[in-house]
Structures are given as structure tokens and as C-alpha cells.
Amino acid sequence: MDTIHSLMYGFSIGLQPENLLFCFIGVLIGTLVGVLPGIGPIGAISLLLPVTFRMSPLSAIIMLAGIYYGAMYGGSTTSILVRIPGEAASVVTCLDGYQMAKKGRAGAALGIAAFGSFIAGTLGLVGLMLFAEPLARFALKFGPPEYFAVLFLGLTLVTFLSGGSVIKAIMMGAFGFILSCVGLDSIQASPRMTFNVLYLWDGIDLVSLAVGLFGISEVLINIEGSAKPELLEMKMKLGSFFPTLADWIKAKGAILRGSVLGFFLGVLPGGGGVVASFLSYGIEKRLSKEPEQFGKGAIEGVAGPESANNAATAGAFVPLLTLGIPANAVMALLYGALVLHGIRPGPFLIPQHPDLFWGVISSMYIGNVMLLVLNLPLIPMWVQILKIPYRIFFPLILLFCLMGSYSVNNRTFDMFLMTLFGIIGYLFRKFEYESAPLLLAFVLGPMVEANLRQSLLISKGSFLIFFTRPIAAVTLTLALILLATSFVPYLKGKNR
């Protein structure tokens, strides 16, 4: 009853006109970002982070969260119609979604993706409500050694589940740690790696780093890339978006399995929508009585992954709001947004800011309904937007990047820094180094350092403190085992 009462309290906040407006703006921008190949939710949130500084913390988080799960909805549109995923979690949807479109069943594919996303997103929110408060109460028992161990496990999982080379992911994480150390030492207040540049005494700005790595580099990659994608020419009526009874019978199991799998993978650091969608596709293919149909237009191949990546977005909020630990790069940006607004995510967030916690949850319910109602009728409009030349889009995005970076501290130095990170991010992508571990390590770096130093102060310099406390010992041992197994392929000579 307490949960239902709290949810009603959240709806009384989420349904306020201002919050409804920012929820609508967030899901609309998120869908547009998902539809347009290239930008992605990380780039969009990075770009809009400075815009939220003059907003209330609740409205800011409602809008940024709306961009995140809205992008998960929109990503399926281009995957199905153009065979180009709007964001990484929709890559696997291309396989069967595009084949369904070629067979004249684009409406059914888009419909099952939208309905599956709605069901999975709602189930994920129920999981978020059920798990968040118990986990927050459990986290109150944590001290610095336990926090350090959990943070270390989180970073290990990020590299372990990385889509590319584990060695490269570890290198990027290490680079992120180094960047997080720039500025004044948090305990002794002595400058570190500032190179006598006064602007660096406050450290590297998160917005400049994120916009450069993800926004600028994305534009540079797209400018270098190929021309416009070829659109399937088709006319779709609203009625064609509703799957048939036979489609529902085939897809219902995939939607439910994808929802559960996506939520729990979303909770794990490093899991996220990408891993969830690929695993869901593999499970559905293995369980199917007609696995040979996968890749040729199987509706389960659309329903499962799309459900999984949407449920993962709700799951990712659990560690952020209850432990103060971002599970992926998008959550790292939301963590930064909360801190910039003076709110520290963690076990005390729910008791100290119940309006924010329940307001955000209720807004996600509302946003899911908005997406379902708005998206299907707007699909013809999204198709028309895809025809706009990129040479018009990209200069506007670059200008917006520069304005956003400057507006944080009103200094041109941040614009130079952002441009530098944009070039670095472009080179990273050319040489297949993922920027997500760098951003996560940059955000988590000060927390890791603070908890490590506090633990060593408590133990008077002994590292045994991490192995004499049960939670820290089990967590740290698990992290070390995972880290060691990451190197097994290299020891066997199988470089991946």
C-alpha cells in the first residue's frame, strides 16, 4: 500500500503542466534522436545537459530520462524501414524488421515494436518500484570499503561486457580515471595535472568531455560517411500498425521474456540495452520451433529485442537512484545532471527527495503512454524527416554543441576543450576504441578515489580491510575473477 500511495503522490507531481510539458519534449526529442541514425541518446543528452541548468531538478531529469527511453522507441523505426539502426540497441532489430518491411509487413513490425516496448517499459517500471526501496535500505549498511568494491565490480563489468576488445576497454577506463584526476586534490587541495593552466584547477568539465566525445565525433563520422540511406517506398495506413491475433500469439512469449531479461541486465553495470537486445534475440532463436525463419522476417526477432532494450532502460535507474552508481554512459550523464543540480544520488535520495524519485517514475509511466499514442501516427512524418539532407542537420548540431559547452561556465576555454575531445573521440572511433568506458570511469573516478582513500584511512593503510568485511570481500573477489577471465582468450592466443 505504501508503494501505491507513493506512486499516487508521484502522479500528482508528474501530472503538473510543467512536468507534462518537459516529459513530452523529452520523449519527442528522444524519438527523433532514435529515428535519425547517428546522434543517439548519449549525444542528445550531452547536448541538452546545459539547457537544463535553469530548470528545476525534477523537470530536468524528467526531460533527460524521456530522451533516453524515447530513443529506445524511435530506434526501431529506421531499423525496420531503412535497415539502419537509430541507436546501438536497435541493431539486432534490423535482421527481421527490415525483412518484414520488404515483405509488405512494415506496419506489423513497427506495431509489435511499439506495443512490445510499451509493455516492457511498463513492466520495467514495476520492477523499478519493487526493487529500488529495498536496495536503498540495504545500501545504508555500506561503508567506504563496500562502496569501493561495488564500484570496482561495476567498472569490471563494463569492460567485461564491452562489445569490442577488453584490453581497449580497460585502456579507455584508465584514461577516464586519469582525466578525472585533473584539478585540485579533493583532500589536500593540491593541483594535479593542471600544467599551470588556471582553468584546469576545477577539473575537466563533464559537458565539454561528453559533448566532444559523443556529439562532435558523431558529426565528424557522419560527414565522412556515406550518403543518404535508401528508403523503402510504401504507403502505410494507421490500421496496418496493429498486429494480428496470430502475430500476438507468436510474440507474447518473446515480449515477456525480453522484459524480464532486459530489466535484470539493465540493473547490472555494463549490461544495458545493447547486451539485452542481442541476448534476447539469441534466446528467442534458440527457443523457436522455426529457428530457420529468423533473419527472414520472424516477428519474435523484433518483439524480443525491442522489449528487452526498453525494459533495460528502467532497470538502469535502479543502481543510479539507490546506490548512486551509473550502470552505463547515459546513466553517467544523468548522474552528472543530478549532481549539477545539487542532488547526490544514493541510498538517501528516496527519503530526502521523494518528490524527485516518485515524480520521475510517474513521468516514465506517462511518457510510455505518450510514446505509444504519438509514435505510430507520426511514423510517416519520421520517414519524411529522414529525407532531409544531412548537410543541413550537421552544421546546426555543431553550433548547438559550441553554444552548450560555452553556456556552462561562460568561457571559451571549454569550447576549445570540447573541440579537442571531439577530435580525440573521432580518432577513438576510427581505431575502434569505445568512449563509453572512458566516460563512466571519468564520472566514477572521484567516487572510487574517495572511497579507496577513506577505507585506507580507516584501516591505517592496510588493504586487508577489503577482505575482512563480507560484502566487500565477496564483491571484490567476484570482480577480480571476472577481470582475470577477461584475459583468458589472450593467454590462449585468441585476440578478440
Side-chain angles (χ1 to χ4, degrees):
M1 288 302 291
D2 286 346
T3 303
I4 295 173
H5 182 264
S6 300
L7 184 61
M8 291 301 108
Y9 170 63
F11 273 113
S12 70
I13 299 169
L15 287 171
Q16 290 174 5
E18 180 188 8
N19 295 327
L20 274 177
L21 175 65
F22 285 115
C23 181
F24 176 75
I25 293 171
V27 296
L28 189 66
I29 293 175
T31 307
L32 179 62
V33 164
V35 169
L36 290 173
I39 305 302
I42 302 177
I45 293 174
S46 305
L47 290 170
L48 291 175
L49 194 54
V51 177
T52 66
F53 290 166
R54 297 187 182 277
M55 295 162 56
S56 72
L58 176 60
S59 299
I61 301 304
I62 283 176
M63 191 182 81
L64 296 177
I67 293 172
Y68 183 31
Y69 57 82
M72 294 297 157
Y73 269 70
S76 61
T77 304
T78 44
S79 293
I80 291 167
L81 295 180
V82 195
R83 208 183 182 184
I84 295 178
E87 39 79 38
S90 296
V91 169
V92 75
T93 307
C94 294
L95 300 177
D96 286 281
Y98 187 69
Q99 292 301 324
M100 285 182 72
K102 286 181 71 176
K103 292 176 181 176
R105 303 209 65 219
L110 290 164
I112 202 68
F115 285 113
S117 298
F118 172 76
I119 295 168
T122 306
L123 292 176
L125 285 171
V126 173
L128 173 59
M129 288 193 307
L130 294 177
F131 286 98
E133 285 197 298
L135 195 59
R137 285 195 293 271
F138 178 68
L140 290 174
K141 300 175 182 176
F142 280 29
E146 285 79 13
Y147 262 107
F148 171 77
V150 172
L151 289 165
F152 188 76
L153 175 64
L155 285 171
T156 306
L157 281 172
V158 169
T159 53
F160 186 75
L161 296 174
S162 172
S165 162
V166 173
I167 295 290
K168 287 181 178 177
I170 292 173
M171 289 170 65
M172 294 298 281
F175 188 38
F177 267 119
I178 293 170
L179 292 177
S180 74
C181 292
V182 174
L184 295 178
D185 176 86
S186 59
I187 294 179
Q188 297 175 330
S190 56
R192 301 184 300 192
M193 292 183 283
T194 57
F195 307 102
N196 292 325
V197 177
L198 194 59
Y199 292 122
L200 288 176
W201 280 40
D202 290 332
I204 293 172
D205 185 71
L206 172 66
V207 174
S208 299
L209 178 74
V211 173
L213 282 180
F214 295 98
I216 299 286
S217 68
E218 190 66 55
V219 172
L220 294 175
I221 286 288
N222 278 282
I223 288 173
E224 184 188 65
S226 59
K228 298 278 302 169
E230 184 181 349
L231 294 172
L232 284 175
E233 292 295 337
M234 61 186 75
K235 293 181 179 178
M236 287 178 287
K237 296 180 179 177
L238 186 59
S240 68
F241 295 129
F242 292 95
T244 63
L245 180 61
D247 290 334
W248 277 112
I249 291 172
K250 280 186 176 180
K252 66 179 189 306
I255 292 172
L256 293 175
R257 283 187 291 271
S259 302
V260 175
L261 176 76
F263 177 77
F264 285 105
L265 280 174
V267 172
L268 291 177
V274 180
V275 178
S277 60
F278 274 92
L279 273 180
S280 173
Y281 187 83
I283 288 171
E284 293 310 319
K285 188 174 181 180
R286 186 173 289 272
L287 293 178
S288 175
K289 293 177 182 175
E290 299 175 322
E292 70 279 1
Q293 293 300 317
F294 276 72
K296 298 176 182 175
I299 198 164
E300 305 97 302
V302 177
E306 282 300 312
S307 303
N309 68 39
N310 277 276
T313 59
F317 279 88
V318 175
L320 175 73
L321 298 177
T322 59
L323 298 173
I325 297 175
N328 54 46
V330 175
M331 290 297 116
L333 289 171
L334 287 178
Y335 177 92
L338 284 165
V339 172
L340 288 169
H341 280 278
I343 294 173
R344 179 69 62 179
F348 294 105
L349 186 139
I350 298 176
Q352 290 179 351
H353 303 282
D355 54 331
L356 186 139
F357 178 78
W358 290 106
V360 169
I361 286 185
S362 68
S363 79
M364 291 169 76
Y365 277 112
I366 297 165
N368 267 329
V369 175
M370 284 181 178
L371 285 166
L372 188 63
V373 174
L374 286 175
N375 269 355
L376 292 179
L378 289 181
I379 284 173
M381 187 185 82
W382 300 134
V383 173
Q384 293 302 316
I385 288 177
L386 283 169
K387 295 177 181 177
I388 297 175
Y390 288 168
R391 64 177 182 274
I392 297 175
F393 267 125
F394 293 143
L396 290 174
I397 293 172
L398 280 175
L399 178 64
F400 200 52
C401 289
L402 290 167
M403 289 169 60
S405 180
Y406 179 80
S407 65
V408 178
N409 298 309
N410 294 330
R411 59 186 191 186
T412 53
F413 177 76
D414 289 334
M415 296 166 66
F416 287 115
L417 207 58
M418 181 203 68
T419 308
L420 174 64
F421 282 120
I423 296 168
I424 292 173
Y426 168 76
L427 293 173
F428 281 158
R429 296 186 62 169
K430 293 290 287 182
F431 293 100
E432 298 181 350
Y433 285 79
E434 291 185 38
S435 296
L438 187 155
L439 184 66
L440 266 175
F442 178 79
V443 172
L444 295 180
M447 298 164 64
V448 172
E449 182 188 357
N451 284 291
L452 175 63
R453 293 173 75 169
Q454 287 173 10
S455 301
L456 293 176
L457 285 171
I458 293 170
S459 67
K460 299 179 180 176
S462 172
F463 282 91
L464 285 177
I465 191 172
F466 297 111
F467 298 98
T468 53
R469 298 169 66 129
I471 297 175
V474 171
T475 310
L476 208 53
T477 304
L478 182 61
L480 291 172
I481 291 171
L482 282 174
L483 197 60
T485 54
S486 301
F487 291 97
V488 170
Y490 293 93
L491 294 175
K492 289 182 177 178
K494 296 177 181 177
N495 193 4
R496 67 184 180 98

